[in-house]
């Protein structure tokens, strides 16, 4: 059993454990966040780079766009019925949940299905809009069945486990599919969201208010023994945003054909950041902006390791959008042979 599969099993077991035993919520937060990042990072290592790459301009605008969306949600919850807003959001996340959960399950399901089911594309045209089409395989249809059933359970019960499983699926898919392109872009994004998180948590009631009002899988819930505060929460952004930076470090290691040394330092930084968040949160008994601790830890550990090894220049020059996929390299090599 490889490390990624072991991490998947551990993550599944940790998610189910609170149903049968008392799990310390602080330990649960740390282990769940770290395992999710680990799984997402290794799933992002593919023959071709992740399909969605962020530019420097996008990274600079991201905190502003995020702030606008956060403030809009705050105003919606303030001036409209909370039940109405959450009903609309439930419908939206119902569709997204099916797609994310099915995509997360697909690699495991494909192993047990005929090869044709994995490769043969089915093209379906929308009625009355023939120009619109959707491509899918039989394997994706099979994976969508448990995804649909699970989302129906979530929409009806809003159970914390259903929320967490969908949240984990969103997180893993986000880390797997998104690419920062370069470490420079990653540093810009993390620095911007570092300020964003501090401002909206410490200087306004907006972030905490939206997190408590938003009844959707944008946060993970960890059961506690405290009746006044039945759940501890961790936002998906505190997993996905640093996670895509850590995943970039792993793909940088892979591109050089070396052991994942910089991935280890970035991942260690993430773990240290999450643990620091929990310690400070319990010390002050107040909500904390997790990126305040995670961002310096991730960038700091990676920077120290990089400077120590003298690899600052190749790391800063690494641009994933300009790297060739293994398929392209193989095609060129075959042409040379011919």
């Amino acid at each position: 059993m490889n490390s990624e599969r072991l991490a998947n099993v551990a993550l599944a077991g940790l998610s189910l454990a609170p149903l049968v035993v008392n799990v310390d919520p602080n330990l649960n937060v740390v282990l769940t966040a770290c395992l999710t990042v680990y799984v997402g990072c290794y799933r992002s290592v593919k023959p071709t780079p992740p399909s969605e790459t962020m530019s420097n301009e996008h990274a600079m605008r991201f905190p502003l766009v995020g702030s606008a969306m956060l403030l809009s949600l705050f105003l919606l919850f303030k001036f409209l019925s909370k039940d109405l807003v959450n009903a609309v959001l439930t419908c939206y996340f119902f569709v997204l949940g099916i797609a994310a959960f099915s995509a997360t399950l697909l690699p495991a399901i494909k192993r047990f299905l005929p090869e044709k089911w994995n490769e043969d594309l089915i093209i379906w045209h929308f009625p009355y809009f023939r120009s619109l089409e959707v491509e899918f395989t039989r394997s994706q249809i099979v994976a969508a069945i448990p995804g649909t059933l699970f989302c129906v359970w979530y929409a009806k019960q809003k159970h914390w486990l259903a929320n967490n499983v969908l949240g984990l699926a969103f997180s893993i898919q986000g880390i797997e599919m998104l690419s920062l392109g370069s470490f420079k872009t990653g540093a810009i994004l993390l620095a911007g969201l570092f300020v964003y998180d501090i401002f909206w948590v410490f200087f306004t009631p907006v972030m905490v208010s939206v997190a408590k009002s938003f009844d959707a899988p944008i946060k993970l819930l960890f059961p506690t023994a405290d009746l006044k505060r039945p759940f501890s929460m961790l936002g998906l952004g505190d997993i996905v945003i640093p996670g895509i930076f850590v995943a970039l470090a792993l793909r940088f290691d892979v591109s050089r054909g070396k052991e994942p040394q910089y991935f280890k330092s970035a991942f260690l930084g993430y773990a240290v950041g999450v643990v620091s968040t929990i310690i400070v949160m319990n010390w002050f008994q107040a909500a904390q902006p997790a990126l305040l601790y995670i961002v310096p830890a991730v960038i700091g550990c990676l920077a120290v390791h990089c400077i120590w090894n003298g690899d600052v220049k190749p790391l800063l020059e690494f641009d994933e959008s300009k790297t060739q996929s293994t398929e392209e390299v193989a095609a060129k090599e075959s042409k040379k042979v011919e």
Side-chain angles (χ1 to χ4, degrees):
M1 182 179 290
N2 60 33
S3 59
E4 182 192 341
R5 194 174 302 177
L6 185 61
N8 276 303
V9 173
L11 186 58
L14 189 61
S15 300
L16 296 171
L19 293 173
V20 292
V21 295
N22 290 325
V23 181
D24 182 85
N26 296 323
L27 180 64
N28 204 348
V29 169
V30 173
L31 292 179
T32 299
C34 291
L35 285 170
T36 304
V37 168
Y38 189 91
V39 170
C41 287
Y42 272 93
R43 285 180 62 126
S44 75
V45 179
K46 300 176 180 179
T48 55
S51 53
E52 300 295 330
T53 302
M54 186 176 292
S55 66
N56 288 348
E57 291 74 19
H58 291 147
M60 291 176 186
R61 288 199 298 264
F62 196 90
L64 299 177
V65 174
S67 296
M69 292 182 64
L70 184 66
L71 190 57
S72 299
L73 285 171
F74 176 76
L75 294 175
L76 282 174
F77 283 117
K78 187 173 183 179
F79 295 109
L80 296 179
S81 166
K82 186 186 295 186
D83 292 336
L84 174 63
V85 175
N86 278 317
V88 174
L89 292 172
T90 296
C91 295
Y92 176 69
F93 280 98
F94 181 87
V95 178
L96 283 184
I98 294 174
F101 191 65
S102 303
T104 304
L105 289 179
L106 187 59
I109 291 176
K110 286 169 69 173
R111 299 172 188 164
F112 303 100
L113 297 176
E115 197 63 32
K116 284 188 176 182
W117 286 33
N118 299 331
E119 296 178 352
D120 294 348
L121 281 177
I122 299 172
I123 301 176
W124 182 73
H125 294 272
F126 282 81
Y128 307 110
F129 299 95
R130 304 297 294 177
S131 59
L132 296 177
E133 62 182 34
V134 179
E135 294 182 351
F136 52 88
T137 63
R138 291 182 180 87
S139 296
Q140 289 173 321
I141 296 175
V142 173
I145 295 172
T148 303
L149 294 175
F150 200 91
C151 287
V152 169
W153 176 45
Y154 166 75
K156 285 187 174 182
Q157 301 295 328
K158 293 295 181 72
H159 194 276
W160 64 265
L161 177 59
N163 174 89
N164 284 7
V165 172
L166 290 181
L168 292 173
F170 287 136
S171 299
I172 291 170
Q173 287 301 303
I175 297 171
E176 178 182 353
M177 302 303 296
L178 297 175
S179 171
L180 293 168
S182 69
F183 288 98
K184 293 177 183 177
T185 302
I188 292 171
L189 178 66
L190 291 184
L193 291 176
F194 173 81
V195 176
Y196 159 92
D197 218 18
I198 293 172
F199 174 78
W200 289 111
V201 173
F202 282 153
F203 297 99
T204 75
V206 173
M207 180 80 81
V208 176
S209 176
V210 170
K212 291 180 177 179
S213 302
F214 205 150
D215 190 10
I218 61 162
K219 57 186 181 292
L220 300 182
L221 302 174
F222 303 92
T224 70
D226 187 353
L227 296 177
K228 295 181 180 179
R229 191 172 63 95
F231 295 102
S232 290
M233 295 186 297
L234 180 67
L236 299 192
D238 300 326
I239 299 175
V240 177
I241 299 301
I244 57 178
F245 188 87
V246 178
L248 183 65
L250 177 59
R251 295 195 298 275
F252 172 66
D253 288 330
V254 171
S255 72
R256 305 174 78 202
K258 295 184 177 181
E259 291 294 317
Q261 53 176 342
Y262 292 118
F263 164 71
K264 289 178 181 177
S265 56
F267 183 76
L268 174 64
Y270 180 76
V272 169
V274 175
V275 170
S276 301
T277 304
I278 297 298
I279 292 172
V280 176
M281 183 183 69
N282 283 284
W283 181 271
F284 291 103
Q285 290 296 305
Q288 296 293 316
L291 295 182
L292 169 62
Y293 310 97
I294 294 173
V295 168
V298 171
I299 294 180
C301 285
L302 182 64
V304 169
H305 192 183
C306 185
I307 293 170
W308 180 269
N309 287 347
D311 282 335
V312 174
K313 186 176 180 181
L315 185 136
L316 292 178
E317 290 179 346
F318 178 69
D319 189 340
E320 198 164 39
S321 63
K322 296 178 181 178
T323 58
Q324 293 179 317
S325 71
T326 56
E327 292 175 357
E328 291 172 338
V329 172
K332 288 186 177 181
E333 290 297 326
S334 62
K335 286 182 180 178
K336 289 180 181 179
V337 172
E338 292 173 1

